[in-house]
Amino acid sequence: MEIRNLGASGLRISAIAYGNWLTHGSQVEEDAAQACVRQALDDGITTFDTADVYANTAAETVLGKALSGERREGLEIFTQVFWPTGPGSHNDHGLSRKHILESIDGSLRRLGTDYVDLYQAHRFDHETPLEETMLAFADVVRSGKALYIGVSEWRAEEIRAAAELARELRVPLVSNQPQYSMLWRVIESEVVPTSEELGIGQIVWSPIAQGVLTGKYQPGQPPPSGSRATDTKGGADMIGRWMKDDVLERVQRLRPIADDLGLSLAQLAVAWVLQNDNVSAAIIGASRPEQVTENVKAAGVRLESDVLAAIDEVLDGVVTTDPALTTSPRRSEMFS
């Protein structure tokens, strides 16, 4: 397993992180989820990402049980706060001081740990002063409940404002967690240059574009039964943007490139995001242990410039790059 620094910080993490957004506590039974975590550990993954909102807090509980008994100092555990949890009353979401300080305690209890290595703002909160949010995060760090702080899906100007406050408060803001893949490159023009300047690393999610970059979806054919594209509770709305024959046909044209490198399409996709120097880790999920092992093989793979150019040529015209597509909802929109 390749080990990288998280941004400019001294925290070292595995280049492949294991995440349980769409699986633990919802799609996958607990025994299978624990088997996937065991496989991740066996394959050298030390970094585990979750969030309080995943399966309405159940994912944190499942992950905590799966990691129980492991040497805590040998793990990097990340979680997040913002989206509605619990009954969803007026203070059960957002980045207010109240919600952050109450949420970290709930996350630690469910994860069965005294601290998380990274505590992340899952989206930007338009309805709470940024100063209030950052001061609450600083207090979480100073209390020892989190070692570092990060954000997720924040725009470049939001990251810059947070970084300025973090410096004033003397707390380590070290990461951003955006969606990033061969097909979704909206962070490249603004977020990545800003993050590089500020010493912030990317922990990217959906590197295989919700499964589209595995090649299992064929142009002109219905999606396989039981796949994510058919599961309204498992991301079908997100994957829909790519379920077009033009996109699917281009993905199939990537197969010879992967074959020449001795990689699967999924491995090629994960390796591709790891070529970006500002990417500290790629988050993978799994419903079966063998999926973990396959994706881990992308760690340490170097793609030469001619390979990267060939990928760009194949995908020209179907890649999304508009930085304005990085958005955070207002709280009122969560319940509309």
Side-chain angles (χ1 to χ4, degrees):
M1 173 58 63
E2 181 185 5
I3 301 298
R4 299 183 173 190
N5 281 71
L6 180 49
S9 78
L11 180 63
R12 305 272 283 165
I13 64 176
S14 53
I16 306 292
Y18 184 85
N20 66 352
W21 167 33
L22 289 173
T23 51
H24 298 187
S26 52
Q27 288 184 336
V28 177
E29 296 297 328
E30 186 166 334
D31 287 348
Q34 294 207 17
C36 288
V37 172
R38 298 307 315 170
Q39 191 63 53
L41 291 163
D42 290 345
D43 288 337
I45 292 175
T46 61
T47 304
F48 294 85
D49 178 80
T50 188
D52 56 3
V53 71
Y54 296 164
N56 196 21
T57 73
E60 287 184 324
T61 300
V62 172
L63 182 62
K65 289 180 180 178
L67 294 176
S68 177
E70 291 295 312
R71 178 176 174 269
R72 179 64 183 87
E73 294 83 356
L75 303 172
E76 303 86 45
I77 300 175
F78 303 167
T79 194
Q80 304 178 69
V81 58
F82 172 79
W83 295 102
T85 55
S89 65
H90 52 280
N91 280 312
D92 287 343
H93 51 82
L95 297 177
S96 68
R97 180 177 180 83
K98 176 177 173 63
H99 186 53
I100 288 172
L101 296 184
E102 291 175 347
S103 293
I104 185 62
D105 287 341
S107 289
L108 295 180
R109 182 175 61 253
R110 290 184 291 270
L111 287 164
T113 183
D114 294 330
Y115 69 95
V116 291
D117 297 270
L118 180 67
Y119 198 41
Q120 303 162 96
H122 211 159
R123 291 296 185 272
F124 184 83
D125 188 347
H126 298 279
E127 298 171 32
T128 297
L130 183 58
E131 292 82 358
E132 176 181 339
T133 294
M134 295 304 295
L135 181 57
F137 274 119
D139 287 345
V140 169
V141 171
R142 292 188 179 114
S143 70
K145 295 177 182 180
L147 305 184
Y148 300 83
I149 56 174
V151 301
S152 176
E153 292 290 357
W154 283 31
R155 302 179 69 156
E157 60 268 27
E158 295 163 350
I159 292 171
R160 185 177 295 281
E164 181 177 346
L165 287 169
R167 283 193 299 271
E168 293 176 5
L169 292 165
R170 297 186 176 276
V171 290
L173 176 65
V174 299
S175 66
N176 177 48
Q177 187 174 126
Q179 182 179 181
Y180 187 49
S181 71
M182 292 180 186
L183 295 172
W184 188 264
R185 308 186 191 185
V186 303
I187 64 171
E188 290 184 341
S189 63
E190 297 181 3
V191 166
V192 166
T194 298
S195 297
E196 288 177 333
E197 175 192 341
L198 298 171
I200 289 171
Q202 310 301 313
I203 307 164
V204 303
W205 58 274
S206 198
I208 58 175
Q210 303 292 299
V212 168
L213 289 170
T214 66
K216 67 182 176 182
Y217 299 106
Q218 299 287 331
Q221 298 182 24
S225 176
S227 66
R228 186 167 294 173
T230 65
D231 186 352
T232 57
K233 295 182 179 180
D237 55 337
M238 293 189 65
I239 200 174
R241 70 184 71 162
W242 295 305
M243 296 301 292
K244 303 169 185 176
D245 283 351
D246 186 28
V247 175
L248 300 180
E249 187 272 332
R250 304 292 188 95
V251 172
Q252 294 303 317
R253 284 168 52 191
L254 293 173
R255 195 175 296 278
I257 299 175
D259 290 343
D260 286 346
L261 297 168
L263 302 173
S264 69
L265 279 174
Q267 290 163 353
L268 179 67
V270 175
W272 184 90
V273 301
L274 291 174
Q275 305 310 296
N276 189 315
D277 290 338
N278 192 231
V279 171
S280 299
I283 300 172
I284 64 165
S287 56
R288 303 186 308 276
E290 56 268 27
Q291 292 173 327
V292 178
T293 298
E294 178 188 4
N295 289 329
V296 161
K297 293 176 182 177
V301 171
R302 293 302 304 172
L303 303 180
E304 300 297 335
S305 58
D306 60 330
V307 172
L308 296 173
I311 290 170
D312 287 346
E313 182 178 357
V314 169
L315 297 178
D316 183 41
V318 298
V319 172
T320 302
T321 61
D322 183 2
L325 293 173
T326 297
T327 60
S328 296
R330 295 187 178 276
R331 290 197 234 170
S332 58
E333 295 172 347
M334 298 181 199
F335 304 99
S336 60

